[in-house]
Amino acid sequence: MFVAACCAVSLCKSTMAFMPYNLRLPRSGATAAAAAVISKNVLATTRARFMTTASSSHESSSSSSSSSSSSSSTGVSTEETSMLVHGRVPLGSLTCLDARAIIDNLDLVLSHLKSRRASEETLSAAKLIYSRNNERVSLIQVRDAALQTRNEQSKAIGQLMRNGGGNNQEEVEQAKKLSQAAADEAALADAKLAELEQETNSLLAGIPNLLDDVVPDGDSDKDNEQVEIWGNVQSLPTKLGWPTDGSFVPKWHDDVAMSLNGWKAENAVAFSGARFVALSGHVARLERAISSFFLDMHVNQHGYTEVSVPYVVGRSALEGTSQLPKFEEDLFRIAPESHQCNGEDAFLIPTAEVPLTNMHRESILDESDLPISYVALTPCFRAEAGSYGRDTRGLIRTHQFHKVEMVKITTSDTSMQQHEELTRHAQACLEALELPYRKVRLCSGDIGFSARHCYDLEVWLPGSEEYREISSCSNTGDFQARRMNLRYRPSPPPPREEEKSDDNSGGGGGKKKKAAKNKKPKPVFCHTINGSGLAVGRTLLAVLENYQMPDGSVVVPEVLRPYMGGLDVLKAL
């Protein structure tokens, strides 16, 4: 606590010993000499004021500690702790994750991190942010005391000069030296505060988002909660007339594509390496048709604005959407000598979520302009550093793939509604293609770093007889917006009846009332939502597997036929 810090302060030597925890830097000989000649009366005044501040701080701190000890030292009451939701402390009124949230609610934050199965390193980062707050408070008090000393001595200098500086030259010089010493002390405290803030921000960047109370507890995707299932996996086979006598076994999508002479994986590997694929003929055209259909559906039916974005972004953009700093090994970084983005490291985008969400970084939007709904088709580039040996066959997991991405920027009040709406738009794509799927809510151990609530849509693949993810729709709350300083200004409330009466009365005090009425609400952080609508490569493989025929041909889904020049069946070229 602050009193412990003050015990380390050597006021008897000089007022320059304000800094606790041995944080003082070497001083010049001139500054040390100045401290040595400070008058005893001025020193006594400074010492008395500083010790009064310390005493007051100690009493306040003791009172606070006493109050919190009856429940928790971190802002979470015993009642809240006893009413756990999915094994963790419920969010309650806490809506964001920043340093203050950790300092005031450490128990809650730790319970969410443990629910996420976070590493010890991540848990330690949260605890360190909490523990460093005492040092931060001490430094602020040290700085403020020093600034007060400087200001008082500056005033004293002015008074002495007005009263005849020549006769009080010694006192003037002493006051100047004290003022300079205090200014140096304040600057030193500010420098240390800046270091602490930088360290805190670095620690905070590695801590994932808090979890919505609806997120179930679990270790992996096996513990995800099924919310909905759509379609019967036998409906399309029946409609297409697949044999029911066991004579036909559905093929994997790569085999289906080969039968159409459209699978050129070996060629791609020869010039690009593993996990790259080339498509040709009908298969390449089908991929393009799927992309165009999704874009048209989201723009024409769902009200999104189509955006064409860069495929290269800077480090700060990826920090804003939280891919960095934690997941840099999964990204493709461009050599600095080849290209940089405004002086920053440059990367290929892992998803259009990054450029779309960053379209309004460092901005203050009007509430009336929200929600903003963007959609973009882009290639996505992922190093897949942690997936060695997994899903090596076909289009399931490649370094480069196309995806139609949806992003919404909205208010906290409409965040949940917009998340459900965006997810519904992704579902509509699968239903239009008549592809069976299920909707699952990700558990605490499987949910993404930035998400507070996430749905996955998993499409049925008859070749492997399993459901596989084809879309992930996440509500990040204000987690990303805080990192990119994306805010909106709430619309002012409508005037009350008494305010209307005051306007018409013409009475006194009208200017003050008008000023109060016209005061703009303070900006608050936006909420951001993102989701695939859909992953084009995985949709392609789902269409190839679900619409294949025993003779090796593929029936074109009805909604895609206008994009395929009217073709209804694809056969080998």
Side-chain angles (χ1 to χ4, degrees):
M1 303 305 295
F2 184 62
V3 168
C6 291
C7 290
V9 177
S10 180
L11 283 172
C12 60
K13 292 183 179 179
S14 77
T15 55
M16 295 187 66
F18 285 163
M19 294 298 288
Y21 308 127
N22 297 320
L23 296 178
R24 287 177 291 150
L25 297 178
R27 294 163 173 73
S28 66
T31 305
V37 296
I38 294 173
S39 68
K40 293 182 179 179
N41 290 337
V42 175
L43 179 56
T45 301
T46 304
R47 181 190 299 113
R49 185 184 67 251
F50 191 78
M51 293 309 293
T52 300
T53 303
S55 176
S56 173
S57 173
H58 175 57
E59 291 172 5
S60 173
S61 177
S62 298
S63 173
S64 175
S65 298
S66 175
S67 172
S68 63
S69 63
S70 62
S71 56
S72 164
S73 63
T74 55
V76 181
S77 68
T78 304
E79 182 179 358
E80 287 178 309
T81 305
S82 64
M83 298 175 62
L84 299 179
V85 175
H86 298 299
R88 59 182 179 272
V89 180
L91 281 178
S93 59
L94 184 62
T95 60
C96 67
L97 179 67
D98 56 13
R100 175 49 55 187
I102 294 174
I103 291 165
D104 292 343
N105 304 277
L106 182 62
D107 288 347
L108 183 153
V109 173
L110 290 178
S111 75
H112 281 242
L113 295 179
K114 290 175 181 176
S115 184
R116 280 179 170 272
R117 280 51 174 179
S119 65
E120 282 300 321
E121 180 183 3
T122 302
L123 295 172
S124 297
K127 294 174 185 176
L128 189 55
I129 290 173
Y130 173 78
S131 65
R132 287 295 175 86
N133 185 56
N134 287 342
E135 184 176 353
R136 185 185 68 87
V137 171
S138 297
L139 285 168
I140 291 172
Q141 291 172 327
V142 164
R143 179 199 62 191
D144 291 349
L147 288 175
Q148 187 175 348
T149 297
R150 185 199 65 180
N151 293 339
E152 288 178 356
Q153 295 313 304
S154 295
K155 290 179 181 178
I157 292 168
Q159 186 65 39
L160 288 169
M161 296 297 290
R162 284 191 294 273
N163 294 339
N167 298 329
N168 303 300
Q169 190 60 36
E170 185 178 348
E171 291 183 59
V172 170
E173 290 302 319
Q174 289 174 345
K176 285 183 177 179
K177 291 170 182 175
L178 178 57
S179 177
Q180 184 59 52
D184 290 345
E185 205 67 46
L188 194 60
D190 266 333
K192 188 58 183 178
L193 280 168
E195 290 178 14
L196 275 177
E197 182 179 3
Q198 184 176 3
E199 180 186 19
T200 296
N201 290 339
S202 178
L203 292 169
L204 196 60
I207 298 177
N209 203 354
L210 299 173
L211 298 169
D212 192 290
D213 289 342
V214 301
V215 174
D217 186 67
D219 294 324
S220 67
D221 57 358
K222 294 181 176 59
D223 301 310
N224 292 340
E225 174 185 289
Q226 182 170 296
V227 176
E228 180 183 347
I229 190 164
W230 186 91
N232 187 317
V233 297
Q234 295 302 323
S235 294
L236 267 179
T238 300
K239 180 179 178 179
L240 296 173
W242 284 9
T244 57
D245 59 2
S247 60
F248 173 61
V249 177
K251 299 177 182 178
W252 273 59
H253 60 280
D254 53 344
D255 289 333
V256 177
M258 284 181 189
S259 69
L260 297 174
N261 292 328
W263 186 258
K264 307 298 180 183
E266 291 184 3
N267 305 70
V269 170
F271 54 77
S272 293
R275 293 192 186 275
F276 284 95
V277 172
L279 306 173
S280 66
H282 287 323
V283 179
R285 188 177 185 184
L286 183 59
E287 181 185 43
R288 176 162 54 88
I290 291 169
S291 302
S292 298
F293 169 65
F294 287 162
L295 283 174
D296 286 348
M297 188 175 192
H298 293 313
V299 171
N300 299 331
Q301 298 182 34
H302 301 151
Y304 288 77
T305 299
E306 184 176 354
V307 184
S308 177
V309 296
Y311 304 157
V312 176
V313 295
R315 179 174 290 275
S316 59
L318 288 156
E319 289 172 344
T321 47
S322 73
Q323 278 84 6
L324 289 179
K326 198 167 183 65
F327 304 105
E328 183 163 350
E329 65 177 6
D330 291 327
L331 302 173
F332 279 104
R333 181 172 175 233
I334 298 174
E337 58 271 18
S338 175
H339 179 72
Q340 289 188 316
C341 295
N342 301 319
E344 297 180 350
D345 291 335
F347 298 83
L348 297 177
I349 60 170
T351 165
E353 168 199 343
V354 179
L356 286 176
T357 313
N358 275 279
M359 289 282 288
H360 297 284
R361 65 179 294 111
E362 303 290 347
S363 298
I364 299 178
L365 308 171
D366 289 327
E367 183 177 8
S368 58
D369 294 330
L370 302 178
I372 293 172
S373 301
Y374 286 145
V375 64
L377 166 67
T378 68
C380 304
F381 304 91
R382 299 185 185 178
E384 300 287 358
S387 61
Y388 181 79
R390 291 169 48 203
D391 299 321
T392 56
R393 181 178 178 182
L395 292 170
I396 290 290
R397 195 178 300 274
T398 57
H399 288 314
Q400 175 188 316
F401 58 93
H402 285 84
K403 181 157 66 79
V404 173
E405 183 74 6
M406 303 176 291
V407 163
K408 284 181 175 283
I409 301 172
T410 186
T411 68
S412 58
D413 292 339
T414 61
S415 179
M416 293 176 63
Q417 172 198 338
Q418 291 297 319
H419 181 214
E420 297 294 331
E421 184 178 290
L422 179 143
T423 306
R424 182 63 231 156
H425 294 158
Q427 292 176 253
C429 295
L430 287 166
E431 292 169 13
L433 292 168
E434 300 182 63
L435 295 173
Y437 71 90
R438 66 183 182 186
K439 173 182 175 183
V440 299
R441 179 179 286 116
L442 299 196
C443 71
S444 59
D446 192 37
I447 194 169
F449 182 87
S450 64
R452 61 182 298 173
H453 181 203
C454 181
Y455 294 116
D456 268 8
L457 304 182
E458 300 176 344
V459 68
W460 173 251
L461 301 180
S464 54
E465 295 186 310
E466 62 180 345
Y467 286 98
R468 292 300 300 260
E469 177 199 338
I470 196 169
S471 175
S472 191
C473 302
S474 301
N475 186 346
T476 72
D478 66 4
F479 188 78
Q480 292 179 332
R482 284 180 177 274
R483 295 178 177 223
M484 63 180 68
N485 198 24
L486 169 56
R487 296 174 291 168
Y488 72 94
R489 192 181 301 278
S491 301
R496 295 174 295 184
E497 288 301 321
E498 55 266 32
E499 291 175 342
K500 295 179 181 178
S501 300
D502 290 339
D503 288 342
N504 296 327
S505 66
K511 289 184 177 180
K512 290 184 178 179
K513 291 178 181 178
K514 187 175 181 180
K517 184 174 68 175
N518 293 335
K519 186 177 181 181
K520 292 183 178 180
K522 292 183 178 180
V524 296
F525 287 105
C526 296
H527 279 211
T528 59
I529 301 156
N530 63 79
S532 307
L534 302 165
V536 177
R538 292 199 178 189
T539 305
L540 173 64
L541 72 87
V543 169
L544 290 174
E545 291 195 15
N546 281 277
Y547 281 88
Q548 63 179 298
M549 297 298 289
D551 63 359
S553 63
V554 173
V555 175
V556 179
E558 290 184 22
V559 293
L560 296 182
R561 292 174 187 177
Y563 298 90
M564 294 290 292
L567 285 175
D568 55 359
V569 177
L570 305 181
K571 297 181 179 179
L573 293 175

